[in-house]
Amino acid sequence: MNIVILSRNENLYSTRRLIEEGENRGHDIEVIDPLKCDIIIEKEKPTVYYRDRYLDYVDAIIPRIGASVTFFGCAVVRQFEMMNVFTTVTSDAIIRSRDKLRSFQRLSKAGIGMPKTVFTNYSRDVEEVLNHVGGPPVIIKLLEGTQGLGVVLAESRNAAESVLEAFNGLQARALVQEYIKEAKGADLRALIVDGQVVGAMKRQGREGEFRSNLHRGGSANYIKLSEDELKLAIKAARALKLPVCGVDMLQSSRGPLIMEVNSTPGLEGIEGATHKNIARAIITFIERNRR
C-alpha cells in the first residue's frame, strides 16, 4: 500500500517509528507536510497537490496533526476523505477531540465519569463557579491548551479568582475542574488502536508538579489497567469516534475518571514504558481496514 503520514517533521520519534514499521511490512511510506499541500476543489474530482504532483495514488493516511495547525491540517485530512482514502482518524474526530468543552459534553452524555467541570462565559462570579466544583483547590484549563500548557492549579479562592480574571482579560476561554487530590500528581494513559487498549502506562509528575506530562519532566511506567479502567478507556474512545487515540484517566476514590482524549498521541513514552510495538499495531489496523 501507499501510506502517507501527515507530519511536519519526519524526525519525530512517532513519525520515524511509523515509517519503520510500515516499511518492515512492505508498504511504501511517505511523510508529507500538510501545510505544504494545496487542496483542489472541483466537481466530482477532489484532489490534493503536493510540491510537483497530485496525491491520487494514496491508499491510506496517518494524520499526525499538531494542535497549532488543526484548521488547515484537518482540511487536508477531509480532502483525502473526499477522495475515499482510508484514514486512521477522521477530520471530524480530530476537531471534536481538540475542543475540550465539546469533548466533555459528549463524554458526559455517554455516561462517562470525569472530574466535575464548569464552563462559563467570562463570568465575574468566581465564587459561584468554584462552588459548582466543590471549592478550591481547582484546576483551570484553557480550552486549547496542550502538553500541560494552559493548565493551572489554583489552591485558594484568591488564586482562582486571579487566574480566571487574567484569562478573561485575554479573552481566553477556560474550564474549571474539580481537583482530584488522591491522584497525587499521576495519571494513566491508555493507547487505543482499532477500539482496543494495546498499551497503558502510569505517568507521575516530578516533585512539586501536579501535571504528569512527560514533556514537563514526568516519568512513565508500565501498568496493567483494572477492568473498570479498560472499559472506561474504550468507552471514551468510542464516544468520540476515535479508533486510534490516547485516553488519559485519573484514579479517584469514586473510580477512574477521564481527564482527556488525545487524537494524535505520541508513541515514544508509551512504547518506552510498555515495550510494546504500538507503531506496528497502527500499521496492521490500516491493513485490516484497507482490505
Side-chain angles (χ1 to χ4, degrees):
M1 280 192 291
N2 294 308
I3 300 175
V4 161
I5 302 171
L6 293 174
S7 172
R8 301 204 65 206
N9 186 352
E10 64 181 22
N11 295 315
L12 293 175
Y13 177 91
S14 299
T15 305
R16 285 192 287 106
R17 287 288 297 118
L18 290 165
I19 294 170
E20 289 170 9
E21 292 304 323
E23 291 180 343
N24 285 344
R25 296 184 67 83
H27 303 297
D28 292 322
I29 309 295
E30 186 176 5
V31 178
I32 284 177
D33 183 346
L35 296 191
K36 294 180 180 177
C37 291
D38 293 331
I39 297 171
I40 301 173
I41 304 168
E42 60 181 326
K43 185 179 179 182
E44 297 181 352
K45 194 181 177 183
T47 52
V48 176
Y49 188 80
Y50 180 71
R51 291 183 174 168
D52 59 349
R53 64 195 185 280
Y54 294 98
L55 302 181
D56 53 5
Y57 54 87
V58 178
D59 296 305
I61 61 170
I62 304 174
R64 301 292 306 173
I65 305 296
S68 62
V69 297
T70 297
F71 177 80
F72 192 80
C74 284
V76 173
V77 175
R78 190 180 308 115
Q79 189 76 351
F80 277 112
E81 292 168 359
M82 298 300 102
M83 296 160 60
N84 295 318
V85 173
F86 177 78
T87 176
T88 54
V89 58
T90 66
S91 56
D92 284 346
I94 296 173
I95 292 169
R96 191 183 302 122
S97 69
R98 292 278 163 83
D99 185 332
K100 289 187 176 67
L101 175 61
R102 187 177 177 186
S103 294
F104 278 124
Q105 287 174 317
R106 289 183 68 95
L107 294 171
S108 174
K109 185 177 180 181
I112 292 170
M114 66 190 76
K116 195 173 224 184
T117 303
V118 174
F119 176 72
T120 184
N121 189 39
Y122 304 131
S123 172
R124 297 191 178 279
D125 193 347
V126 177
E127 189 76 20
E128 184 177 297
V129 171
L130 295 180
N131 289 338
H132 284 315
V133 295
V138 296
I139 299 294
I140 303 173
K141 294 181 177 181
L142 287 177
L143 283 185
E144 297 179 350
T146 60
Q147 298 180 350
L149 298 173
V151 181
V152 178
L153 170 62
E155 300 191 68
S156 67
R157 292 183 184 273
N158 285 341
E161 185 172 350
S162 297
V163 171
L164 285 173
E165 283 179 353
F167 283 166
N168 289 348
L170 294 170
Q171 293 191 324
R173 297 185 181 276
L175 298 170
V176 179
Q177 270 187 343
E178 110 185 77
Y179 176 59
I180 307 300
K181 184 178 180 181
E182 57 268 31
K184 298 178 181 178
D187 69 18
L188 309 179
R189 160 66 64 91
L191 209 296
I192 304 281
V193 177
D194 202 8
Q196 298 298 317
V197 175
V198 294
M201 62 180 174
K202 184 170 186 176
R203 302 183 299 187
Q204 179 67 58
R206 58 186 169 80
E207 183 101 16
E209 175 60 74
F210 73 96
R211 292 166 293 188
S212 60
N213 304 75
L214 301 185
H215 293 85
R216 308 198 68 81
S219 60
N221 294 290
Y222 166 78
I223 189 171
K224 183 176 180 180
L225 298 179
S226 69
E227 193 66 26
D228 286 344
E229 290 160 353
L230 281 168
K231 288 179 179 177
L232 187 70
I234 292 169
K235 189 175 181 180
R238 286 177 180 167
L240 297 181
K241 297 183 179 179
L242 288 166
V244 177
C245 62
V247 180
D248 297 339
M249 298 175 283
L250 296 171
Q251 294 176 307
S252 79
S253 57
R254 60 181 189 267
L257 304 173
I258 292 294
M259 185 171 68
E260 189 173 2
V261 182
N262 190 323
S263 57
T264 52
L267 303 184
E268 186 170 9
I270 193 80
E271 286 197 336
T274 64
H275 303 294
K276 292 187 176 181
N277 195 329
I278 308 297
R280 184 171 62 195
I282 294 172
I283 298 298
T284 55
F285 163 59
I286 294 173
E287 292 170 348
R288 286 194 300 272
N289 285 271
R290 187 67 184 89
R291 291 197 192 101

